[in-house]
Amino acid sequence: MPLTVRVWGTRGSIPTPGPRTVRYGGNTPCLEVRTSTGWLVILDAGTGIRELGSELLGAGGRVEGDIFLTHAHWDHIQGLPFFAPIFGRGNHFMINGSQSLERSVDRVVQDQMSPVVFPVTFEELDATIDFREVAEQRYRGDGYEVEPFEVRHPGGALGYRLCDADGAGGLVYVPDNELCAEVRYPTASDWRARFVRWMQGARVLVHDTMYTADEYPRHRGWGHSTADEAVDVALEAAVERLVLFHHKPERTDDDVERCLDACRELVVRRGGRLDVVAAAEGMMFDA
């Protein structure tokens, strides 16, 4: 059985509510994944996780699941203190993060709920929250397997590939990643080849498309890719669908659609086969 994915946050850097972002959404990154067993996996804890939490509580019963953080930049963790299930006794979450971060994932999460910046401390939460630091190896969960991969982003970040328990299908989630080879990162010279092999043949690739080709030179080294680069790497890895993600805060709904049209035209010019869509809040798909 495939994984079922629902998008709760699509935007990069900072939330952008308002009339110009209604169609594609203004919340920062968060994806809900359900396995064939019904187990909950959450990818990133941007502001989109708040609405997810409300829906989970509305369903009633005990809430439990695994949360995988790609990194600790603010837009990927800022929704966690507003994720209502963490205040519920009997609920349980395992929060996973990279072991290569400058500060451990448990320390980052606890610090953002210190009295200086938030009225409720981490120690006051009623849910049980465990932490695990993960590396580039495969982990097995309830009805799924996940394999992290170190990507190119200031301060370090992970991408995640999730498959069902039989290894079929696959979702690759890479919200922050700089593909440009001219920018120096502490990665091996064969990084891109390994990156392509890691996601080869996945059903869905959700990838950073923060910039257009015209915008990128002014943001070189900031840890993000262009939509054109994402199309090229998706074609190289022979994935079935590319989901444009981490929309730039200034990008309006109309801008996103123009970017989407340009990506689809690029696929045709490249002579490839690739379904391209833009991430929108509420979007659901199988992987």
Side-chain angles (χ1 to χ4, degrees), residues 75-137:
D75 51 332
H76 294 258
I77 64 170
Q78 64 193 142
L80 196 56
F82 301 92
F83 181 52
I86 64 175
F87 294 90
R89 191 176 304 278
N91 297 337
H92 178 232
F93 299 96
M94 171 71 79
I95 299 180
N96 301 269
S98 173
Q99 66 178 13
S100 65
L101 295 178
E102 294 180 3
R103 179 171 290 191
S104 64
V105 63
D106 59 330
R107 190 71 264 160
V108 170
V109 170
Q110 292 172 39
D111 284 352
Q112 74 165 336
M113 296 185 71
S114 67
V116 176
V117 294
F118 197 75
V120 181
T121 66
F122 181 84
E123 289 72 23
E124 294 177 83
L125 298 179
D126 288 322
T128 300
I129 301 177
D130 296 316
F131 295 91
R132 178 173 60 183
E133 293 186 335
V134 297
E136 287 187 349
Q137 63 188 61

Side-chain angles (χ1 to χ4, degrees), residues 93-281:
F93 299 96
M94 171 71 79
I95 299 180
N96 301 269
S98 173
Q99 66 178 13
S100 65
L101 295 178
E102 294 180 3
R103 179 171 290 191
S104 64
V105 63
D106 59 330
R107 190 71 264 160
V108 170
V109 170
Q110 292 172 39
D111 284 352
Q112 74 165 336
M113 296 185 71
S114 67
V116 176
V117 294
F118 197 75
V120 181
T121 66
F122 181 84
E123 289 72 23
E124 294 177 83
L125 298 179
D126 288 322
T128 300
I129 301 177
D130 296 316
F131 295 91
R132 178 173 60 183
E133 293 186 335
V134 297
E136 287 187 349
Q137 63 188 61
R138 186 166 295 183
Y139 299 87
R140 181 177 289 274
D142 190 336
Y144 74 96
E145 290 185 349
V146 59
E147 184 178 4
F149 188 90
E150 192 77 29
V151 296
R152 290 158 49 92
H153 193 64
L158 292 173
Y160 293 104
R161 179 167 185 166
L162 281 81
C163 299
D164 67 22
D166 296 326
L171 166 71
V172 175
Y173 176 69
V174 186
D176 294 54
N177 185 35
E178 190 157 9
L179 287 167
C180 180
E182 298 175 7
V183 180
R184 294 185 177 275
Y185 280 92
T187 50
S189 59
D190 66 342
W191 175 86
R192 185 185 175 95
R194 292 191 301 107
F195 180 58
V196 170
R197 286 197 302 271
W198 170 69
M199 62 180 170
Q200 193 78 38
R203 183 169 293 161
V204 181
L205 167 62
V206 178
H207 196 281
D208 179 358
T209 54
M210 183 85 156
Y211 300 122
T212 65
D214 290 338
E215 293 166 341
Y216 177 72
R218 300 189 300 276
H219 303 92
R220 191 182 303 272
W222 288 27
H224 299 288
S225 296
T226 69
D228 290 2
E229 290 171 326
V231 167
D232 284 338
V233 80
L235 289 170
E236 191 175 346
V239 303
E240 295 179 20
R241 170 179 286 186
L242 169 65
V243 180
L244 311 181
F245 195 72
H246 206 273
H247 307 314
K248 187 181 178 185
E250 295 81 4
R251 196 88 65 224
T252 67
D253 288 329
D254 290 342
D255 291 336
V256 172
E257 291 186 355
R258 281 189 285 270
C259 181
L260 176 59
D261 289 341
C263 287
R264 288 171 173 170
E265 291 171 4
L266 180 59
V267 172
V268 174
R269 293 202 304 273
R270 295 285 195 263
R273 297 184 61 182
L274 176 67
D275 179 29
V276 185
V277 299
E281 289 180 22

